[in-house]
Amino acid sequence: EYPVVVAIDGPAGSGKSSVSKEVARRLGWGFLDTGAAYRALAWHASASGVDTDDAASVVSCLDSFDYRIGTDPHGYAVHVGDTDVTEAIREPGISAVVSAVARVPEVRTHLIEVFRAIMAAEERPGIVVEGRDITTVVAPDAPVRILLTASEAVRMARRSAELVGHSAAATGAQLRARDAADSKVVDFMNAAEGVTTVDSTDLDFDATVEAVLAVIRDAQ
Ligand code: C5P
């Protein structure tokens, strides 16, 4: 019995994580934030003193990368070994280097295996998995595949609201640079065949959650 996989991709600031988390909570299903794993690896490489621009050094960190998703009641905490990095991986310093780590092919191969193992081990009836290449590479056969988008202006506004204390201009520039770098590795701006687009530009949080739940219901 495999769990139902709900694959959700989209650009930075599309609301993917918060929406996916809430959808999983309402269904009582599991949740996997794959971006958090790339961030945790970027954190681990930095903490190990590795130059994140050097692919070979990043690859050499994979053996000692002990990625664990939290067992807290909400299940969203991220640990590397015994260190809780849930907050540290959201720092702009990590956002600035994560794309370089994520474009290394050996990193992607390694993490995709980790993600598939987590999906297969899910004991609830389903799991919501979100990232950039879930609908196309990690789980292309998922029965529910969604591309969650929003206009660039709305995505920037949402992200600056999250990062209180950082300038909106700097946040916007970093978000654009990250999307540009990430788009060279995987296409998450255009829906692949069979993938349903949910555009949240004019939807508030609850309406977006409802729209995603409706796609899931329609697929069953
Ligand atoms: O989703 P989030 O913005 O936290 O992702 C952080 C980074 O992880 C992205 O900028 C991208 O470089 C990488 N990523 C990826 N593939 C995924 C999810 C995230 O390359 N499926």
mmCIF file of all heavy atoms in Angstrom, residues 5-36:
data_model
loop_
_atom_site.group_PDB
_atom_site.id
_atom_site.type_symbol
_atom_site.label_atom_id
_atom_site.label_comp_id
_atom_site.label_asym_id
_atom_site.label_seq_id
_atom_site.Cartn_x
_atom_site.Cartn_y
_atom_site.Cartn_z
ATOM 1 N N VAL A 5 0.437 10.350 -3.285
ATOM 2 C CA VAL A 5 1.390 11.458 -3.303
ATOM 3 C C VAL A 5 0.750 12.662 -3.989
ATOM 4 O O VAL A 5 0.209 12.554 -5.097
ATOM 5 C CB VAL A 5 2.696 11.064 -4.026
ATOM 6 C CG1 VAL A 5 3.596 12.278 -4.220
ATOM 7 C CG2 VAL A 5 3.434 9.972 -3.239
ATOM 8 N N VAL A 6 0.772 13.798 -3.295
ATOM 9 C CA VAL A 6 0.342 15.066 -3.884
ATOM 10 C C VAL A 6 1.612 15.866 -4.145
ATOM 11 O O VAL A 6 2.304 16.272 -3.204
ATOM 12 C CB VAL A 6 -0.589 15.846 -2.932
ATOM 13 C CG1 VAL A 6 -0.948 17.211 -3.524
ATOM 14 C CG2 VAL A 6 -1.848 15.042 -2.630
ATOM 15 N N ALA A 7 1.973 16.030 -5.415
ATOM 16 C CA ALA A 7 3.211 16.722 -5.799
ATOM 17 C C ALA A 7 2.897 18.183 -6.096
ATOM 18 O O ALA A 7 2.006 18.475 -6.894
ATOM 19 C CB ALA A 7 3.810 16.046 -7.027
ATOM 20 N N ILE A 8 3.616 19.090 -5.434
ATOM 21 C CA ILE A 8 3.372 20.527 -5.642
ATOM 22 C C ILE A 8 4.692 21.233 -5.924
ATOM 23 O O ILE A 8 5.631 21.165 -5.126
ATOM 24 C CB ILE A 8 2.687 21.165 -4.411
ATOM 25 C CG1 ILE A 8 1.376 20.434 -4.092
ATOM 26 C CG2 ILE A 8 2.444 22.663 -4.646
ATOM 27 C CD1 ILE A 8 0.538 21.058 -2.977
ATOM 28 N N ASP A 9 4.786 21.893 -7.080
ATOM 29 C CA ASP A 9 5.973 22.674 -7.427
ATOM 30 C C ASP A 9 5.604 24.141 -7.561
ATOM 31 O O ASP A 9 4.433 24.491 -7.737
ATOM 32 C CB ASP A 9 6.548 22.197 -8.777
ATOM 33 C CG ASP A 9 7.229 20.843 -8.661
ATOM 34 O OD1 ASP A 9 7.810 20.556 -7.595
ATOM 35 O OD2 ASP A 9 7.177 20.078 -9.652
ATOM 36 N N GLY A 10 6.638 24.992 -7.533
ATOM 37 C CA GLY A 10 6.405 26.410 -7.777
ATOM 38 C C GLY A 10 7.628 27.219 -7.416
ATOM 39 O O GLY A 10 8.559 26.695 -6.792
ATOM 40 N N PRO A 11 7.635 28.487 -7.834
ATOM 41 C CA PRO A 11 8.773 29.355 -7.548
ATOM 42 C C PRO A 11 8.802 29.837 -6.101
ATOM 43 O O PRO A 11 7.855 29.610 -5.344
ATOM 44 C CB PRO A 11 8.557 30.535 -8.504
ATOM 45 C CG PRO A 11 7.083 30.588 -8.703
ATOM 46 C CD PRO A 11 6.593 29.166 -8.622
ATOM 47 N N ALA A 12 9.893 30.490 -5.724
ATOM 48 C CA ALA A 12 10.037 31.048 -4.378
ATOM 49 C C ALA A 12 8.942 32.083 -4.129
ATOM 50 O O ALA A 12 8.612 32.874 -5.009
ATOM 51 C CB ALA A 12 11.416 31.682 -4.224
ATOM 52 N N GLY A 13 8.377 32.058 -2.938
ATOM 53 C CA GLY A 13 7.381 33.052 -2.572
ATOM 54 C C GLY A 13 5.986 32.760 -3.109
ATOM 55 O O GLY A 13 5.077 33.566 -2.959
ATOM 56 N N SER A 14 5.787 31.585 -3.724
ATOM 57 C CA SER A 14 4.456 31.266 -4.264
ATOM 58 C C SER A 14 3.513 30.832 -3.150
ATOM 59 O O SER A 14 2.318 30.681 -3.382
ATOM 60 C CB SER A 14 4.556 30.166 -5.324
ATOM 61 O OG SER A 14 5.129 29.003 -4.766
ATOM 62 N N GLY A 15 4.047 30.638 -1.950
ATOM 63 C CA GLY A 15 3.215 30.199 -0.836
ATOM 64 C C GLY A 15 3.148 28.683 -0.743
ATOM 65 O O GLY A 15 2.411 28.131 0.076
ATOM 66 N N LYS A 16 3.956 28.022 -1.590
ATOM 67 C CA LYS A 16 3.993 26.557 -1.625
ATOM 68 C C LYS A 16 4.070 25.905 -0.254
ATOM 69 O O LYS A 16 3.287 25.032 0.061
ATOM 70 C CB LYS A 16 5.282 26.110 -2.325
ATOM 71 C CG LYS A 16 5.199 25.745 -3.726
ATOM 72 C CD LYS A 16 6.540 25.221 -4.202
ATOM 73 C CE LYS A 16 7.679 26.131 -4.039
ATOM 74 N NZ LYS A 16 8.732 26.103 -3.239
ATOM 75 N N SER A 17 5.064 26.330 0.538
ATOM 76 C CA SER A 17 5.287 25.636 1.814
ATOM 77 C C SER A 17 4.122 25.786 2.762
ATOM 78 O O SER A 17 3.615 24.791 3.292
ATOM 79 C CB SER A 17 6.548 26.147 2.503
ATOM 80 O OG SER A 17 7.666 25.769 1.773
ATOM 81 N N SER A 18 3.681 27.036 2.985
ATOM 82 C CA SER A 18 2.614 27.231 3.966
ATOM 83 C C SER A 18 1.308 26.600 3.482
ATOM 84 O O SER A 18 0.579 25.986 4.273
ATOM 85 C CB SER A 18 2.435 28.714 4.294
ATOM 86 O OG SER A 18 2.500 29.489 3.137
ATOM 87 N N VAL A 19 1.029 26.693 2.184
ATOM 88 C CA VAL A 19 -0.199 26.106 1.644
ATOM 89 C C VAL A 19 -0.136 24.574 1.733
ATOM 90 O O VAL A 19 -1.080 23.924 2.192
ATOM 91 C CB VAL A 19 -0.437 26.570 0.183
ATOM 92 C CG1 VAL A 19 -1.530 25.747 -0.484
ATOM 93 C CG2 VAL A 19 -0.781 28.057 0.145
ATOM 94 N N SER A 20 1.004 24.001 1.330
ATOM 95 C CA SER A 20 1.142 22.535 1.343
ATOM 96 C C SER A 20 1.008 21.986 2.758
ATOM 97 O O SER A 20 0.387 20.944 3.002
ATOM 98 C CB SER A 20 2.510 22.121 0.783
ATOM 99 O OG SER A 20 2.666 22.603 -0.524
ATOM 100 N N LYS A 21 1.621 22.700 3.698
ATOM 101 C CA LYS A 21 1.578 22.301 5.107
ATOM 102 C C LYS A 21 0.142 22.282 5.626
ATOM 103 O O LYS A 21 -0.287 21.346 6.292
ATOM 104 C CB LYS A 21 2.387 23.345 5.888
ATOM 105 C CG LYS A 21 3.058 22.851 7.120
ATOM 106 C CD LYS A 21 3.820 23.986 7.782
ATOM 107 C CE LYS A 21 5.243 24.102 7.267
ATOM 108 N NZ LYS A 21 6.013 25.135 8.019
ATOM 109 N N GLU A 22 -0.615 23.323 5.273
ATOM 110 C CA GLU A 22 -2.005 23.419 5.737
ATOM 111 C C GLU A 22 -2.891 22.359 5.063
ATOM 112 O O GLU A 22 -3.764 21.769 5.700
ATOM 113 C CB GLU A 22 -2.547 24.831 5.482
ATOM 114 C CG GLU A 22 -4.002 25.054 5.874
ATOM 115 C CD GLU A 22 -4.295 24.853 7.364
ATOM 116 O OE1 GLU A 22 -3.343 24.766 8.173
ATOM 117 O OE2 GLU A 22 -5.489 24.755 7.713
ATOM 118 N N VAL A 23 -2.639 22.104 3.778
ATOM 119 C CA VAL A 23 -3.393 21.058 3.075
ATOM 120 C C VAL A 23 -3.142 19.711 3.763
ATOM 121 O O VAL A 23 -4.078 18.951 4.040
ATOM 122 C CB VAL A 23 -2.985 21.018 1.574
ATOM 123 C CG1 VAL A 23 -3.457 19.731 0.904
ATOM 124 C CG2 VAL A 23 -3.527 22.245 0.839
ATOM 125 N N ALA A 24 -1.874 19.431 4.072
ATOM 126 C CA ALA A 24 -1.517 18.168 4.725
ATOM 127 C C ALA A 24 -2.180 18.083 6.099
ATOM 128 O O ALA A 24 -2.699 17.037 6.498
ATOM 129 C CB ALA A 24 0.003 18.057 4.857
ATOM 130 N N ARG A 25 -2.175 19.202 6.821
ATOM 131 C CA ARG A 25 -2.776 19.218 8.155
ATOM 132 C C ARG A 25 -4.271 18.908 8.080
ATOM 133 O O ARG A 25 -4.800 18.103 8.845
ATOM 134 C CB ARG A 25 -2.554 20.587 8.813
ATOM 135 C CG ARG A 25 -2.775 20.597 10.328
ATOM 136 C CD ARG A 25 -2.773 22.001 10.898
ATOM 137 N NE ARG A 25 -3.886 22.814 10.402
ATOM 138 C CZ ARG A 25 -5.130 22.748 10.846
ATOM 139 N NH1 ARG A 25 -5.443 21.909 11.816
ATOM 140 N NH2 ARG A 25 -6.071 23.514 10.319
ATOM 141 N N ARG A 26 -4.962 19.563 7.115
ATOM 142 C CA ARG A 26 -6.409 19.346 7.014
ATOM 143 C C ARG A 26 -6.753 17.915 6.615
ATOM 144 O O ARG A 26 -7.776 17.370 7.024
ATOM 145 C CB ARG A 26 -7.015 20.318 6.002
ATOM 146 C CG ARG A 26 -6.964 21.734 6.517
ATOM 147 C CD ARG A 26 -8.132 22.538 6.000
ATOM 148 N NE ARG A 26 -7.792 23.956 6.052
ATOM 149 C CZ ARG A 26 -8.430 24.890 5.366
ATOM 150 N NH1 ARG A 26 -9.417 24.561 4.553
ATOM 151 N NH2 ARG A 26 -8.078 26.140 5.484
ATOM 152 N N LEU A 27 -5.896 17.305 5.788
ATOM 153 C CA LEU A 27 -6.165 15.927 5.352
ATOM 154 C C LEU A 27 -5.685 14.909 6.381
ATOM 155 O O LEU A 27 -6.049 13.737 6.310
ATOM 156 C CB LEU A 27 -5.468 15.654 4.010
ATOM 157 C CG LEU A 27 -5.984 16.433 2.793
ATOM 158 C CD1 LEU A 27 -5.030 16.257 1.612
ATOM 159 C CD2 LEU A 27 -7.395 15.971 2.401
ATOM 160 N N GLY A 28 -4.829 15.370 7.303
ATOM 161 C CA GLY A 28 -4.221 14.439 8.250
ATOM 162 C C GLY A 28 -3.151 13.594 7.566
ATOM 163 O O GLY A 28 -2.879 12.456 7.964
ATOM 164 N N TRP A 29 -2.529 14.132 6.502
ATOM 165 C CA TRP A 29 -1.518 13.427 5.735
ATOM 166 C C TRP A 29 -0.124 13.946 6.089
ATOM 167 O O TRP A 29 0.021 14.959 6.768
ATOM 168 C CB TRP A 29 -1.759 13.623 4.229
ATOM 169 C CG TRP A 29 -2.963 12.879 3.718
ATOM 170 C CD1 TRP A 29 -3.853 12.148 4.465
ATOM 171 C CD2 TRP A 29 -3.412 12.807 2.357
ATOM 172 N NE1 TRP A 29 -4.828 11.625 3.642
ATOM 173 C CE2 TRP A 29 -4.590 12.011 2.341
ATOM 174 C CE3 TRP A 29 -2.954 13.332 1.144
ATOM 175 C CZ2 TRP A 29 -5.288 11.728 1.180
ATOM 176 C CZ3 TRP A 29 -3.650 13.043 -0.020
ATOM 177 C CH2 TRP A 29 -4.810 12.245 -0.007
ATOM 178 N N GLY A 30 0.882 13.274 5.587
ATOM 179 C CA GLY A 30 2.257 13.696 5.801
ATOM 180 C C GLY A 30 2.619 14.889 4.928
ATOM 181 O O GLY A 30 1.872 15.251 4.008
ATOM 182 N N PHE A 31 3.767 15.488 5.245
ATOM 183 C CA PHE A 31 4.211 16.681 4.521
ATOM 184 C C PHE A 31 5.719 16.616 4.362
ATOM 185 O O PHE A 31 6.435 16.287 5.312
ATOM 186 C CB PHE A 31 3.824 17.920 5.337
ATOM 187 C CG PHE A 31 4.496 19.188 4.893
ATOM 188 C CD1 PHE A 31 4.171 19.756 3.661
ATOM 189 C CD2 PHE A 31 5.458 19.808 5.676
ATOM 190 C CE1 PHE A 31 4.799 20.915 3.238
ATOM 191 C CE2 PHE A 31 6.081 20.971 5.274
ATOM 192 C CZ PHE A 31 5.749 21.521 4.045
ATOM 193 N N LEU A 32 6.198 16.908 3.162
ATOM 194 C CA LEU A 32 7.647 16.936 2.933
ATOM 195 C C LEU A 32 8.026 18.193 2.153
ATOM 196 O O LEU A 32 7.571 18.388 1.020
ATOM 197 C CB LEU A 32 8.093 15.677 2.165
ATOM 198 C CG LEU A 32 9.569 15.611 1.763
ATOM 199 C CD1 LEU A 32 10.481 15.672 2.995
ATOM 200 C CD2 LEU A 32 9.845 14.340 0.962
ATOM 201 N N ASP A 33 8.837 19.032 2.800
ATOM 202 C CA ASP A 33 9.338 20.264 2.196
ATOM 203 C C ASP A 33 10.740 19.956 1.661
ATOM 204 O O ASP A 33 11.705 19.909 2.430
ATOM 205 C CB ASP A 33 9.376 21.345 3.289
ATOM 206 C CG ASP A 33 10.048 22.640 2.848
ATOM 207 O OD1 ASP A 33 10.623 22.706 1.746
ATOM 208 O OD2 ASP A 33 10.004 23.606 3.642
ATOM 209 N N THR A 34 10.844 19.697 0.354
ATOM 210 C CA THR A 34 12.145 19.265 -0.181
ATOM 211 C C THR A 34 13.159 20.406 -0.197
ATOM 212 O O THR A 34 14.362 20.170 -0.069
ATOM 213 C CB THR A 34 12.004 18.675 -1.599
ATOM 214 O OG1 THR A 34 11.479 19.675 -2.483
ATOM 215 C CG2 THR A 34 11.107 17.450 -1.599
ATOM 216 N N GLY A 35 12.663 21.656 -0.337
ATOM 217 C CA GLY A 35 13.582 22.797 -0.301
ATOM 218 C C GLY A 35 14.331 22.860 1.024
ATOM 219 O O GLY A 35 15.507 23.237 1.076
ATOM 220 N N ALA A 36 13.646 22.442 2.107
ATOM 221 C CA ALA A 36 14.281 22.463 3.424
ATOM 222 C C ALA A 36 15.481 21.523 3.452
ATOM 223 O O ALA A 36 16.469 21.785 4.150
ATOM 224 C CB ALA A 36 13.267 22.077 4.507
#
